[in-house]
Amino acid sequence: MTQEETGLLFVISGPSGVGKGTVGAALRKKNKKVVYSVSATSRSPRPGEIDGETYFFKTKEEFEAMIEAGEFLEWAQYIHHYYGTPKKFVFEQLEMGNDVFLEIEVQGAMQVKKSYPHGIFIFLLPPDMEELRQRIKNRGTEDDEVIARRLSVAREEIEMMRNYDYVVVNDQVDLAVSRIEAIITAEHCRQERTYNRYIKWFKEE
Ligand code: 5GP
């Protein structure tokens, strides 16, 4: 399959609390063709999170065995836990022509950029830092030490946005979703992804 016939791989990163999950859920609801990859993690489930849907919840040992077996497209340690994208599902979906979304932190995104340079990298930003602090606090699932740690990582992550192709501000979920849909449409219209399809018209004459 050529690059033009496979689906596109989109990577979305952004600081903890920016609303990646909410935006992702709204995008999936609106656009049924979008496929999200389910990551594996060694962190414990938060209330309401479902194994196999939110994440594949693994022990540290199970996760390390998956690393050894080469099962990840990328993996990273974030705060005290492992997070990784299982490779098989992503490539199967791309081969089927589906667009795949990875919602991952910046170190993992940079690994994907190296191994899959055709990926499209989107950075989600909060409207301002105070809003981000409030969103992490309001979630109420993390203790003060983890909140402080997540905010300091957020500062470092925002520096990394220079390595991304697009920046989307999540001021309102529906607006952020429309911006991401515009990016999907634009990427499908890129000349280098469509040229061979059209030049075939003349080859077949
Ligand atoms: P949380 O613990 O809040 O669910 O996720 C913490 C961070 O890990 C978020 O920035 C999230 O996007 C990121 N993350 C989730 N899954 C993966 C993954 O498979 N790989 C990497 N590198 N980061 C991930």
Side-chain angles (χ1 to χ4, degrees):
M1 241 187 191
T2 68
Q3 232 269 294
E4 289 135 50
E5 291 162 329
T6 61
L8 302 181
L9 181 64
F10 291 90
V11 176
I12 300 202
S13 308
S16 174
V18 71
K20 293 179 297 250
T22 313
V23 169
L27 177 66
R28 285 195 293 269
K29 202 166 161 206
K30 208 170 152 210
N31 189 332
K32 299 287 177 215
K33 283 164 79 184
V34 161
V35 176
Y36 259 69
S37 154
V38 177
S39 296
T41 183
S42 64
R43 82 149 163 76
S44 323
R46 296 186 187 125
E49 289 186 335
I50 300 166
D51 189 29
E53 275 184 32
T54 327
Y55 282 109
F56 293 106
F57 292 101
K58 304 282 174 194
T59 61
K60 186 169 168 278
E61 292 70 29
E62 285 168 340
F63 197 102
E64 286 168 350
M66 290 174 79
I67 298 174
E68 275 297 302
E71 289 182 37
F72 291 117
L73 171 61
E74 61 71 38
W75 63 271
Q77 270 184 308
Y78 177 86
I79 318 250
H80 307 302
H81 296 290
Y82 287 122
Y83 294 85
T85 305
K87 200 188 279 185
K88 189 165 170 273
F89 175 82
V90 172
F91 288 116
E92 278 171 4
Q93 291 294 322
L94 291 175
E95 281 287 314
M96 283 161 67
N98 295 326
D99 290 342
V100 180
F101 273 72
L102 310 183
E103 185 207 298
I104 62 179
E105 53 67 66
V106 294
Q107 307 164 61
M110 293 306 103
Q111 289 175 45
V112 178
K113 199 168 181 180
K114 273 204 193 118
S115 63
Y116 200 87
H118 295 303
I120 299 129
F121 296 79
I122 304 175
F123 199 84
L124 202 60
L125 271 186
D128 57 62
M129 205 60 192
E130 193 42 45
E131 174 79 24
L132 185 68
R133 194 189 314 273
Q134 275 314 322
R135 286 188 200 172
I136 298 181
K137 274 200 176 143
N138 292 347
R139 194 151 70 184
T141 51
E142 263 91 22
D143 62 31
D144 285 350
E145 189 248 317
V146 175
I147 293 174
R149 190 78 194 95
R150 283 185 178 235
L151 277 167
S152 99
V153 172
R155 207 155 289 143
E156 290 160 23
E157 285 182 335
I158 289 175
E159 264 307 302
M160 295 291 291
M161 88 185 204
R162 296 162 77 89
N163 298 309
Y164 285 70
D165 302 307
Y166 296 95
V167 172
V168 168
V169 175
N170 183 21
D171 43 1
Q172 252 177 262
V173 174
D174 54 341
L175 289 181
V177 168
S178 307
R179 291 171 188 134
I180 294 169
E181 286 186 306
I183 295 169
I184 300 174
T185 305
E187 286 293 331
H188 276 281
C189 296
R190 287 185 76 98
Q191 173 275 124
E192 63 271 29
R193 293 203 173 98
T194 50
Y195 176 80
N196 281 347
R197 194 178 312 147
Y198 298 110
I199 204 69
K200 266 190 212 150
W201 291 351
F202 302 99
K203 285 187 185 147
E204 280 157 15
E205 268 176 8

